[in-house]
Amino acid sequence: MKIVILDGNTVNPGDLSWQPLEDLADVVVYERTREEEIVERCKGAEIVLTNKVVLDATTLNMLPRLQYIGVLATGYNVVDLEVASRQNIVVTNIPSYSTDSVAQMVWAHILNITNRVDHYARENRKGRWTESPDFCYFDHNLTELSGKRIGIVGLGNTGMATALIATAFGMNVLAFTSKDEDELPTGIRKVPLSELLSESDIVSLHCPLTDSTHHLINHETLALMKPSAILINTGRGPLVDDQAVAEALHNGTIAAYGADVVTTEPPKASNPLLSAPYCYLTPHIAWATKEARTRLIDICARNVKAWLDGEPINQVNA
């Protein structure tokens, strides 16, 4: 049995071990794979693992030996599930491996924005504190979170983890969710999206990307928000209209944007968010703590082992 990993570098750039998979089969790891290299690299493998390399209908039709595709992520839109099912190829994903890491990044962005951590660290490297006539200095308002409202759009695993951290800060939590009110923990109140946007001091996006949530944050919805509001996106880039958010930051429609994702990744140099004021971008790394990546590999190996044993788990196609 042969396993081919098409783009192993992002999951494991060399600081982790592929041993859990190597214990199951012969493993070949490619750091990255271009579209024109996919078929040649996969043609001798029964098992293919991919993070972002697309396995579309044309490619799958050229791989008659392929029996299993493991997506090294939670989202699995990189695989044509209909064709995979028709060819009796099992497709699995890695659910819930990075919940705590993503929630942590949400709060890293929020605390950076409210406490201006990066700003003051940069100023102090320039010598500003050493030149201060007082024991401290501050040139931006600092914000206490206790008593403020945070709106969570989507109460799945990461949304709920983010909400529970908010309650520990003493915040009031509003949620736009499909869950019933009586399912929600104490301190979390279900509200319509328009109320959440207009009442929240911070809005954090955790909903899946669907046709109905594509550009959920746009000119119209941004106009509902407070000028002092902070928007956070660690979900999917296309949940927001990049141009609309950039314009909102320039116009003072909202106060700040912290995001770990953009619509096209890596972003084009022309992406307006890269030059927008009070915009803080991290390069899609919320999922990438060493602990989360270790869990990802371990879950992947369990997925493969379960399939080899004839009892697949975390299967996403029929």
Side-chain angles (χ1 to χ4, degrees), residues 1-4 21-28 45-47:
M1 191 70 68
K2 181 180 179 182
I3 298 174
V4 169
L21 288 164
E22 292 169 346
D23 289 340
L24 300 174
D26 295 327
V27 178
V28 178
E46 293 86 3
I47 299 171

Side-chain angles (χ1 to χ4, degrees), residues 52-231:
K52 294 294 182 287
V53 175
V54 175
L55 298 173
D56 58 17
T58 301
T59 300
L60 294 177
N61 286 328
M62 298 174 71
L63 298 172
R65 189 170 177 176
L66 184 59
Q67 301 174 46
Y68 177 97
I69 298 170
V71 181
L72 298 171
T74 302
Y76 43 86
N77 60 316
V78 295
V79 180
D80 189 318
L81 296 184
E82 183 179 344
V83 173
S85 297
R86 193 160 60 239
Q87 296 181 194
N88 296 314
I89 300 170
V90 170
V91 183
T92 65
N93 73 335
I94 314 288
S96 305
Y97 72 95
S98 63
T99 296
D100 292 334
S101 294
V102 175
Q104 181 175 309
M105 180 62 84
V106 171
W107 289 98
H109 274 287
I110 291 172
L111 293 171
N112 176 57
I113 292 168
T114 57
N115 290 70
R116 307 287 180 177
V117 175
D118 180 65
H119 167 72
Y120 287 110
R122 288 175 181 271
E123 289 297 296
N124 291 342
R125 279 194 288 270
K126 299 174 187 176
R128 185 170 175 186
W129 196 7
T130 61
E131 298 166 1
S132 174
D134 303 307
F135 77 95
C136 72
Y137 71 92
F138 49 93
D139 52 13
H140 287 78
N141 286 332
L142 304 175
T143 302
E144 184 176 278
L145 294 174
S146 180
K148 300 293 192 300
R149 288 193 185 98
I150 183 169
I152 308 292
V153 181
L155 271 184
N157 291 322
T158 57
M160 185 64 77
T162 300
L164 294 176
I165 294 170
T167 62
F169 274 107
M171 301 187 73
N172 300 306
V173 182
L174 308 179
F176 179 66
T177 176
S178 59
K179 289 181 168 64
D180 292 334
E181 184 81 44
D182 57 10
E183 294 181 66
L184 304 184
T186 301
I188 301 177
R189 182 164 61 92
K190 180 175 180 174
V191 296
L193 181 62
S194 58
E195 182 178 343
L196 182 149
L197 294 173
S198 62
E199 295 295 327
S200 295
D201 300 293
I202 300 170
V203 173
S204 189
L205 305 178
H206 299 277
C207 52
L209 179 62
T210 64
D211 289 342
S212 63
T213 62
H214 183 269
H215 285 188
L216 180 73
I217 302 300
N218 52 47
H219 288 289
E220 290 73 24
T221 50
L222 285 163
L224 298 174
M225 296 176 65
K226 298 178 180 180
S228 57
I230 297 166
L231 177 64

Side-chain angles (χ1 to χ4, degrees), residues 109 113 245-246 249 255-259 271-281:
H109 274 287
I113 292 168
V245 172
L249 292 168
Y257 181 51
N271 187 303
L273 292 174
L274 294 173
S275 57
Y278 305 112
C279 182
Y280 305 92
L281 301 178

